[in-house]
Amino acid sequence: MVELLPSILSADFAHLADEIAAAERGGGTTIHVDIMDGHFVPNITIGPPVVASIRKATRLPLDCHLMIDNPNEYIAAFAEAGANWLSVHYEACTHLHRSLELIIHHGMKPGVVLNPATRVDLIVEILPMVHHVLIMSVNPGFGGQEFIHFSLDKIRRLADLRQEMGLKFKIEVDGGVAHDTVAAVVQAGAELLVAGNAVFGAGHPERDARSLLAAAREADDQITASRALGGKSKIH
């Protein structure tokens, strides 16, 4: 089942609780929270205190994406703040296996994130550990960027590995997910769709979340129908 994960990076922070509630009414099932430190990526966002406040504003799971140096030092703090899912970058973790174990130890669902230029095959060994793999389809740091189309090949490769290895992790995509890209993303094999500007950018998060999710599920239905007919649907 395809799910929409509204990213608050593009929300109005002066009315964050209302923005989250509207995105939830539009069909969002998990709230995506980008954590940036100004070192690993060229931007600074929020930390555990704001996550703790968001936790009070919604019952939806919080998907916290750590775009920071030394993520192990902050895993416990985000668990205490109420994060449900926690993902760390392959590129930021000297000992990725240890980082994932630490996330699991603190009761959160672990994820690993790959920057656009990082190959999927580099994480084969840890795939049995993760709840989700997040493919960045823009270079991380800022919302509203243009979708990088070779990300579709990475999604397909990851979907193939999942099937070959008999695993059940989710494939998440973040960056440039909008009406003109969402069908291709879904048909490549992703089911967790992070969208910020496409949901919050126009100031109508309930309407725009519902519209984007409908487009994603239409693409997913086309895949199901094609498989039932013995074919395979792709959009390039």
Side-chain angles (χ1 to χ4, degrees), residues 34-71:
D34 288 313
I35 314 298
M36 307 181 191
D37 65 357
H39 296 281
F40 182 70
V41 293
N43 196 5
I44 298 173
T45 54
I46 64 175
V50 177
V51 172
S53 294
I54 296 170
R55 176 71 287 157
K56 297 174 184 176
T58 180
R59 294 183 179 179
L60 294 183
L62 300 182
D63 172 26
C64 290
H65 171 194
L66 300 190
M67 288 174 270
I68 63 176
D69 288 335
N70 305 312

Side-chain angles (χ1 to χ4, degrees), residues 90 96 112 114-115 117-127 133 135 153-162 164-165 169:
Y90 167 87
L96 179 58
V112 63
L114 298 179
N115 280 337
T118 302
R119 293 184 299 110
V120 167
D121 289 75
L122 293 171
I123 60 167
V124 168
E125 287 80 8
I126 59 83
L127 288 177
V133 177
I135 298 294
D153 294 329
K154 295 175 66 177
I155 297 167
R156 294 185 190 104
R157 173 59 180 154
L158 191 56
D160 288 343
L161 282 171
R162 178 171 60 182
E164 291 168 11
M165 298 173 72
F169 61 82

Side-chain angles (χ1 to χ4, degrees), residues 178-202:
H179 279 84
D180 60 340
T181 58
V182 69
V185 169
V186 170
Q187 295 205 2
E191 53 265 302
L192 301 178
L193 310 177
V194 177
N197 193 56
V199 171
F200 296 107

Side-chain angles (χ1 to χ4, degrees), residues 5 7-9 30-37 40-41 45-47 51 62-69 71 78 83-92 103 108-116 132-142 172-175 194:
L5 283 60
S7 171
I8 65 166
L9 184 63
T30 299
I31 301 301
H32 187 82
V33 184
D34 288 313
I35 314 298
M36 307 181 191
D37 65 357
F40 182 70
V41 293
T45 54
I46 64 175
V51 172
L62 300 182
D63 172 26
C64 290
H65 171 194
L66 300 190
M67 288 174 270
I68 63 176
D69 288 335
F78 281 102
N84 303 99
W85 307 0
L86 197 73
S87 56
V88 293
H89 272 258
Y90 167 87
E91 303 85 1
I103 294 169
M108 296 175 288
K109 294 182 178 180
V112 63
V113 192
L114 298 179
N115 280 337
H132 59 285
V133 177
L134 172 51
I135 298 294
M136 292 301 302
S137 44
V138 299
N139 288 296
F142 299 94
E172 184 173 351
V173 178
D174 183 2
V194 177

